[in-house]
Amino acid sequence: MAVVKANAYGHGAIETSRTLIRHGVTRLAVFSTEEGVTLRQAGITVPIVVLGPIFHEQFGDLFAHQLTPVVSDPSMVPTLAQAAASRATPYPIHLKIETGMGRLGLTQDELKTLFNSHQFPSSLQLEGLMTHLADADGSNPDATEQQISRFNEAAKIVLENGFRVPLVHVSNSGGAVRFRSTHFSLVRPGIMLYGYHTLPGTVEAPGLRPVLSLKTCVAQLRTIQPGETVSYNRTFTAKRLTRIAVLPIGYAGGLSRHLSNRGSVLIRGRRAPIAGLVCMDMILADITAIPGVIVGDEVVLIGQQENEHITARDIAEWTGTISYEVLCAISPQIPRIYHSS
Ligand SMILES: Cc1ncc(COP(=O)(O)O)c(C=O)c1O
């Protein structure tokens, strides 16, 4: 079950989903009902699981588009059951168990209450049972082992109440690579599908290649004198005669403002430092050391140019975050161009 939430981690949910399905993925996971509807409207017919919370107002869309909700809050069971009561067949749901993430999911006590006192509603079909790992990429595996054992206890409760659940799933990318006992019937990788991981150095990572490049081109060139400044609040002052390239992408496009005067871009196969504050739609790069740059030259923000490369992980290090956030931040307004392999 491929995780394509957040616009497929910035890669474009529709094309990414189509590609994953072509490569054998049989099930998709999104965060919201709205994300699921977008995929259905694009003609995607494989089962889609909505990982995030669902609300009463979304039941109409959920049913109309055959989206499978993850029920995490016990109060949602009777509400959803009532809404599904008029349907010809029981509506499939996945139940999420809280095992240590401290976020969404039923506790073991809530699970017992659901199965012991209230009969599990006949208008719902318990198709899936799941949890989410909090520390699959942590250096110490103990917390994950504990989550797995709590999940197994919960699965036993469900089984003892006479339910055979066809789809049991626990692993994100890190879990799938590190903890074989979490494979069950499905795994839910996200980040590794896109060529990144956050595994600790002690764990051998699979051979991954980043899928996405982020490029722009030089919009204007200027030469500034020593002592002159560029961009808002004049945070970059030229120390020598300096060549500046103006690049038409900024924080509205997904480049963190923390890249101001930090990090670099690739032009003509060389690194050009970012100069001054990142603007909403533009950044400036110091290209003094790179001869021959002209307007229209390709600029790589993420990806490879000649022998140099910049990854989302590099940007994450420069800006104090993780590759996930760098990828998800790339605005849907940025045109995506897809190359088939
Ligand atoms: C419930 C759930 N499952 C799976 C994933 C995929 O995780 P990863 O991208 O680490 O593989 C996520 C991502 O946040 C998630 O929230």
Side-chain angles (χ1 to χ4, degrees), residues 3 5 9 51 96 103 130 132 171-174 188-192 324:
V3 180
K5 63 188 180 143
Y9 290 44
L51 296 171
K96 186 166 189 175
R103 205 171 60 176
M130 63 172 288
H132 188 45
S171 291
N172 55 1
S173 299
R188 294 191 313 268
I191 196 72
M192 284 191 191
Y324 293 70

Side-chain angles (χ1 to χ4, degrees), residues 9-11 191 194 196 212 302 312 323-330:
Y9 290 44
H11 292 67
I191 196 72
Y194 308 104
Y196 288 91
L212 164 155
I302 299 175
S323 50
Y324 293 70
E325 189 179 349
V326 173
L327 295 172
C328 292
I330 302 171

Side-chain angles (χ1 to χ4, degrees), residues 123-333:
S123 61
L124 302 179
Q125 182 221 346
L126 187 54
E127 181 193 64
L129 193 69
M130 63 172 288
T131 191
H132 188 45
L133 300 175
D135 202 28
D137 58 357
S139 48
N140 184 340
D142 293 354
T144 304
E145 303 288 4
Q146 195 179 40
Q147 278 197 270
I148 298 166
S149 95
R150 285 189 190 137
F151 181 74
N152 284 329
E153 284 164 27
K156 201 162 154 243
I157 296 170
V158 175
L159 198 71
E160 281 168 0
N161 280 278
F163 285 81
R164 297 275 172 280
V165 186
L167 302 177
V168 178
H169 48 107
V170 169
S171 291
N172 55 1
S173 299
V177 168
R178 271 176 100 185
F179 302 93
R180 282 202 73 82
S181 63
T182 63
H183 284 192
F184 297 101
S185 42
L186 289 173
V187 289
R188 294 191 313 268
I191 196 72
M192 284 191 191
L193 298 175
Y194 308 104
Y196 288 91
H197 71 85
T198 48
L199 292 170
T202 48
V203 174
E204 196 187 333
L208 298 166
R209 266 186 305 138
V211 170
L212 164 155
S213 297
L214 179 62
K215 296 178 182 177
T216 185
C217 53
V218 174
Q220 192 168 351
L221 293 164
R222 64 176 60 257
T223 302
I224 59 169
Q225 302 298 319
E228 285 189 322
T229 65
V230 295
S231 195
Y232 290 116
N233 303 138
R234 309 170 69 240
T235 63
F236 174 89
T237 305
K239 294 194 175 58
R240 52 179 175 170
L241 196 65
T242 299
R243 284 286 279 166
I244 293 285
V246 182
L247 313 176
I249 183 169
Y251 59 77
L255 282 191
S256 168
R257 205 161 169 276
H258 294 295
L259 285 168
S260 300
N261 291 308
R262 188 171 302 149
S264 49
V265 301
L266 304 179
I267 305 180
R268 299 208 161 220
R270 312 230 340 237
R271 282 176 189 261
I274 294 173
L277 295 190
V278 172
C279 309
M280 187 182 288
D281 301 298
M282 276 174 272
I283 53 171
L284 304 158
D286 180 345
I287 53 155
T288 313
I290 309 174
V293 177
I294 55 171
V295 167
D297 270 1
E298 178 195 80
V299 180
V300 169
L301 301 127
I302 299 175
Q304 179 139 8
Q305 208 182 46
E306 299 179 23
N307 295 325
E308 284 284 359
H309 66 270
I310 294 174
T311 64
R313 196 170 176 150
D314 294 327
I315 296 185
E317 271 165 27
W318 295 333
T319 57
T321 183
I322 49 175
S323 50
Y324 293 70
E325 189 179 349
V326 173
L327 295 172
C328 292
I330 302 171
S331 160
Q333 316 283 359

